[in-house]
């Protein structure tokens, strides 16, 4: 199964069926994005526009039908009116196309079930794998394939352009989503936060390729370390659990499941013809197969960053290191609410902290019981020595580090990030960081930590929630091995 999906992400050739000369049409935007990626050297595939009413589009020769394209075509992007799609797939089958991304809407999501059945019958007749219909398509940051029909820029009066639908840089996270619009919003968020992506798939009505097929494929993808999903329903629960159980033992799966309430279930049904099902059943199924469930987009990306950057935790014992007592209390509250243990430190660590006080490395009034509060007199050296002690403590499974950078003892924040990130890298225990604030310095610190592989958040609560995901993944890995 996984090998059969390769043509979607790295095809040797791609045809845009429904390519358009009108810049406001999806068929124009898709073709333009593909051409720009090829010219920039990001995409290797040959590109063929298909439109019976045009001779050339965006400088490329256009073909009246895919059947007259004078070369083999591995992947077709179909963006024609819904009623034409089955006939277009029939022509794709005769041409030997292996994969089709059907962007077109107007199928089961509006009650047009019979037309969707015709689409599937035609695809099966020729062995064509189909993503969609009613989808945004695929973006692969590593191969340059981009079938998203949303333009990169919006024009303002006076000729100024604003980035409207950005694509994130290359990275370790892959996303699959039933909702194209939500998926694009996620790409926008990832780009703004500097979160790198491997592959993005909006699969819409999933007439053929579904979430189970995709996570099975991504399990073998070397550039994917974490899989995140937005789902409204899972049509084949047994298949999903079988695949997810296997994949979760190798790569974390994070799911944002919509349709939890009656109102949400009704909305899902009208959106992608999804039958949401019992939320209690989904909750139990996710736990059984090691899937980490989240409840909003913010948490989805907070958790995915932690899982991508840090190792799984070996237990639930957390140490909190801060230079602000109030922030430490908030973190401790969230730890207990989430079932984590704000652990007592080992005797050796307690002795070492006392030694640091006597030597004047720590302030005499610093609090060295967990949470550790270095107070407003904190320095980079205090953080460095304390973090080292905590990560070496056998009673500590990981650290939530809260850096209130405003204190005068941390004048060089670049040096601060470099030294602390270096300590984190030397240990196989997870660390999540909280840097509160929206100042340039705060944003610099968060981005600096993440560039060095340490996930950073704007609140203690978010840093703790992210740490909890590392605990959950570690617990599943131990269960899977036993």
């Amino acid at each position: 199964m996984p090998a059969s999906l390769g043509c979607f992400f790295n095809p040797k050739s791609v045809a845009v069926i429904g390519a358009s000369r009108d810049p406001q049409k999806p068929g124009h935007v898709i073709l333009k994005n593909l051409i720009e990626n090829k010219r920039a050297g990001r995409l290797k595939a040959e590109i063929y526009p298909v439109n019976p009413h045009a001779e050339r589009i965006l400088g490329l020769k256009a073909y009246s039908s895919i059947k007259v394209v004078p070369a083999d075509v591995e992947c077709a992007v179909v963006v024609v009116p819904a009623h034409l799609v089955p006939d277009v797939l029939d022509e794709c089958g005769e041409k030997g196309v292996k994969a089709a991304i059907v962007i077109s809407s107007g199928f089961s999501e509006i009650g047009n079930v019979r037309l969707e059945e015709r689409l599937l019958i035609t695809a099966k007749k020729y062995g064509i794998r189909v993503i969609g219909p009613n989808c945004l398509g695929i973006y692969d940051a590593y191969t340059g394939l981009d079938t998203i029909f949303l333009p990169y820029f919006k024009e303002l009066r006076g000729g100024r352009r604003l980035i409207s639908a950005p694509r994130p840089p290359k990275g370790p996270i892959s996303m699959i989503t039933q909702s194209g619009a939500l998926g694009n919003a996620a790409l926008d968020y990832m780009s703004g936060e500097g979160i790198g992506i491997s592959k993005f798939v909006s699969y819409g009505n999933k007439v053929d390729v579904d979430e189970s097929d995709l996570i099975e494929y991504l399990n073998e993808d070397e550039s994917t370390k974490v899989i995140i999903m937005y789902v409204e329903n899972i049509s084949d629960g047994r298949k999903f659990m079988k695949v997810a159980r296997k994949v979760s033992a190798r790569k974390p799966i994070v799911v944002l499941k919509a349709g939890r309430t009656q109102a949400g279930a009704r909305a899902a049904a009208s959106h992608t013809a999804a039958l949401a099902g019992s939320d209690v059943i989904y909750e139990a199924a996710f736990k059984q197969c090691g899937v980490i469930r989240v409840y909003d987009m913010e948490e989805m990306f907070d958790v995915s960053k932690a899982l991508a950057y840090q190792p799984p935790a070996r237990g639930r014992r957390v140490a909190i290191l801060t230079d602000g007592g109030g922030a430490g209390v908030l973190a401790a509250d969230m730890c207990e609410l989430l079932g984590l243990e704000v652990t007592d430190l080992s005797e050796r660590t307690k002795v070492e902290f006392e030694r640091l006080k006597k030597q004047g490395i720590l302030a005499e009034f610093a609090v060295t019981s967990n949470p550790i509060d270095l107070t407003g007199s904190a320095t980079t050296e205090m953080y460095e020595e304390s973090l080292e002690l905590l990560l070496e403590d056998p009673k500590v499974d990981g650290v939530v580090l809260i850096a209130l950078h405003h204190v005068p003892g941390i004048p060089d924040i670049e040096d601060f990030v470099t030294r602390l990130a270096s300590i984190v890298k030397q240990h196989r225990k997870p660390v999540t960081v909280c840097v509160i604030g929206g100042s340039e310095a705060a944003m610099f610190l968060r981005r600096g930590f993440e560039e060095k592989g340490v996930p950073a958040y704007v609140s203690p609560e978010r840093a703790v929630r992210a740490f909890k995901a590392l605990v959950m993944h570690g617990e599943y890995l131990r269960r899977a091995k036993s």
Side-chain angles (χ1 to χ4, degrees), residues 347-413:
E347 290 304 316
R348 178 185 176 278
T349 300
K350 292 175 183 178
V351 168
E352 288 299 305
F353 269 127
E354 288 304 314
R355 177 184 62 79
L356 292 176
K357 283 185 177 183
K358 289 177 182 178
Q359 292 178 345
I361 296 172
L362 292 188
E364 185 179 345
F365 46 83
V367 178
T368 54
S369 58
N370 197 14
I372 294 86
D373 180 8
L374 302 177
T375 76
S377 61
T379 65
T380 299
E381 185 183 13
M382 290 181 189
Y383 265 104
E384 197 173 27
E385 294 282 351
S386 300
L387 182 59
E388 185 79 55
L389 281 180
L390 294 174
L391 290 174
E392 288 179 350
D393 192 323
K395 294 181 71 175
V396 172
D397 296 313
V399 175
V400 174
L401 190 156
I402 304 170
L404 305 181
H405 59 91
H406 317 84
V407 298
I410 305 176
D412 187 340
I413 57 175

Side-chain angles (χ1 to χ4, degrees), residues 334-353:
M334 183 56 66
C335 282
E336 189 160 320
L337 288 169
L338 294 180
L340 303 178
E341 178 189 349
V342 181
T343 183
D344 189 24
L345 304 178
S346 69
E347 290 304 316
R348 178 185 176 278
T349 300
K350 292 175 183 178
V351 168
E352 288 299 305
F353 269 127

Side-chain angles (χ1 to χ4, degrees), residues 232-371:
E232 293 172 1
N233 79 320
I234 295 172
S235 49
D236 189 338
R238 289 178 183 238
K239 175 184 175 184
F240 176 81
M241 289 187 68
K242 179 181 178 182
V243 173
R245 189 177 285 113
K246 177 182 73 174
V247 175
S248 291
R250 185 178 179 197
K251 298 180 181 182
I253 302 172
V254 180
V255 172
L256 175 57
K257 166 68 175 68
R260 289 191 287 152
T261 65
Q262 290 185 353
R266 287 195 301 270
S270 63
H271 178 214
T272 54
L275 298 176
S278 168
D279 196 65
V280 174
I281 293 174
Y282 277 105
E283 188 82 26
F286 291 152
K287 286 181 180 178
Q288 283 184 40
C289 53
V291 169
I292 298 169
R293 185 175 187 179
V294 294
Y295 298 93
D296 56 54
M297 284 187 64
E298 180 181 80
E299 186 183 8
M300 178 169 70
F301 289 112
D302 284 353
V303 162
S304 64
K305 282 194 305 185
L307 292 164
Y309 299 159
Q310 289 291 290
R314 298 169 187 167
R316 293 179 167 244
R317 300 170 300 178
V318 183
I320 299 166
L321 175 60
T322 181
D323 58 352
V329 173
L330 291 174
D333 279 344
M334 183 56 66
C335 282
E336 189 160 320
L337 288 169
L338 294 180
L340 303 178
E341 178 189 349
V342 181
T343 183
D344 189 24
L345 304 178
S346 69
E347 290 304 316
R348 178 185 176 278
T349 300
K350 292 175 183 178
V351 168
E352 288 299 305
F353 269 127
E354 288 304 314
R355 177 184 62 79
L356 292 176
K357 283 185 177 183
K358 289 177 182 178
Q359 292 178 345
I361 296 172
L362 292 188
E364 185 179 345
F365 46 83
V367 178
T368 54
S369 58
N370 197 14

